[in-house]
Structure formats: structure tokens, C-alpha cells
Amino acid sequence: MIVTNLNDVIKVGIAQMDIVKAPNTIRTSGLGSCVGVVIYDESKKIGGMVHVMLPDSSLNRTNTINEAKFADTGILALVDSLKREGAQSYKMKAKIAGGAQMFQFTSDKDSMRIGPRNVDAVKTQLKKLNIPIISEDTGGNSGRTIEFSPVTNMLNVRTVNKGVSEI
């Protein structure tokens, strides 16, 4: 959905994605172990966001797949959507936030490290697509809300109990 009203905020839910053009902004909340991935083309003043829940679509347990739910399929789908709206892949850049370890487990099982695994999967997929990560606010153990402006190309990150930063 691309909104044309001035200064609208496009809201992206869990396991969803959307695109925004200036002067509007795009926001997602509830980033615990999930990762918010923003990909943008600053020359076109367009950006998109995907709220990644899980690292790999091989973890899918249904017959249909929600592409935005997984790092591997969600990032590809977002890039394709941005291209359809005029963004150029060689000009795309990324900013990421989230991937917290929300709960402390006594087990060292890798399957319990959802946040770090999500961050690793996002970085791997962006590297495959030659999209540089300009900045990130990942890890820790606090939830985040993020909002991106294609006017300034800044990602506003509100972290629980830590305040606001811009990356």
C-alpha cells in the first residue's frame, strides 16, 4: 500500500511488509526477537519495511507461506515490491533493528536463540543481494518500535527502558 496523503504513517504488523514514499513514514512495533528490515532508495525517496519473525522459510509448517514472516523470503519480496515502484536495486541500502534475546534460557540450544538467528539470517540475505547495511540497532534484551522516514532516510528507534535513538 502506498499512501499519497501528506504525513501519513504506514503501520506494518508482525510478519507483514509495506512500502512508503516521501513525505510519509513507515512504522512497526513489537520488535522483540523479530527484526525490522528497512530497505530504501534515497534517490527515489522510497522505502519499505518487513517485520521478520523467523530466519528461514524451511521452518514453515503450513501449505501456504507468508513471505514476510521469514528473512529469506520477506527480504526478496520487499526488494521486488520496491523495484516495481521504481527503486533501483543497485541504489538500495538497508537499516535493521530488533533481534533481542527476550528470554533467558538455561539451555544452549540454538533453536532458542531466535533473535540472534533472525539477525544473522537478515544479514546473510542482504549480503546475497548486495544491499549494504548502513546502520543497525540489534541484540540486547529489550523490545523496540521503529519508524523510517524516506525524506531524511533516518530510522527512529524507541527501545523499552532505554529511550530513543536515530540511526
Side-chain angles (χ1 to χ4, degrees):
M1 166 201 321
I2 295 188
V3 178
T4 56
N5 298 333
L6 293 180
N7 299 323
D8 280 338
V9 177
I10 310 303
K11 294 181 177 85
V12 176
I14 295 171
Q16 294 180 343
M17 68 177 187
D18 215 330
I19 292 175
V20 67
K21 288 184 178 177
N24 303 307
T25 60
I26 192 164
R27 175 189 308 153
T28 194
S29 56
L31 290 174
S33 58
C34 297
V35 177
V37 181
V38 172
I39 300 175
Y40 61 100
D41 177 340
E42 54 192 327
S43 69
K44 300 284 186 182
K45 298 290 184 197
I46 186 172
M49 181 183 291
V50 60
H51 187 129
V52 171
M53 272 184 72
L54 293 168
D56 191 304
S57 58
S58 68
L59 300 170
N60 191 42
R61 295 192 174 141
T62 62
N63 291 337
T64 58
I65 186 168
N66 172 0
E67 290 179 325
K69 186 175 185 177
F70 304 98
D72 59 340
T73 54
I75 291 171
L76 279 173
L78 181 58
V79 166
D80 287 344
S81 295
L82 286 164
K83 284 186 199 176
R84 280 194 300 276
E85 292 299 324
Q88 298 172 303
S89 56
Y90 71 93
K91 290 185 176 180
M92 290 182 187
K93 298 177 183 175
K95 296 187 178 195
I96 64 174
Q101 183 65 41
M102 297 301 291
F103 307 102
Q104 299 306 316
F105 296 100
T106 54
S107 168
D108 286 339
K109 285 181 70 175
D110 194 50
S111 62
M112 303 309 269
R113 298 177 51 254
I114 297 295
R117 287 174 54 220
N118 281 341
V119 172
D120 291 345
V122 163
K123 288 180 176 182
T124 297
Q125 190 62 38
L126 290 168
K127 186 173 183 169
K128 280 183 189 174
L129 297 171
N130 295 314
I131 299 173
I133 298 172
I134 302 305
S135 57
E136 69 178 282
D137 183 347
T138 58
N141 56 11
S142 298
R144 296 168 173 91
T145 294
I146 62 173
E147 186 168 337
F148 177 76
S149 167
V151 173
T152 63
N153 300 308
M154 293 304 292
L155 183 63
N156 179 288
V157 182
R158 286 185 297 255
T159 306
V160 174
N161 297 324
K162 293 191 177 151
V164 179
S165 64
E166 279 199 328
I167 61 172

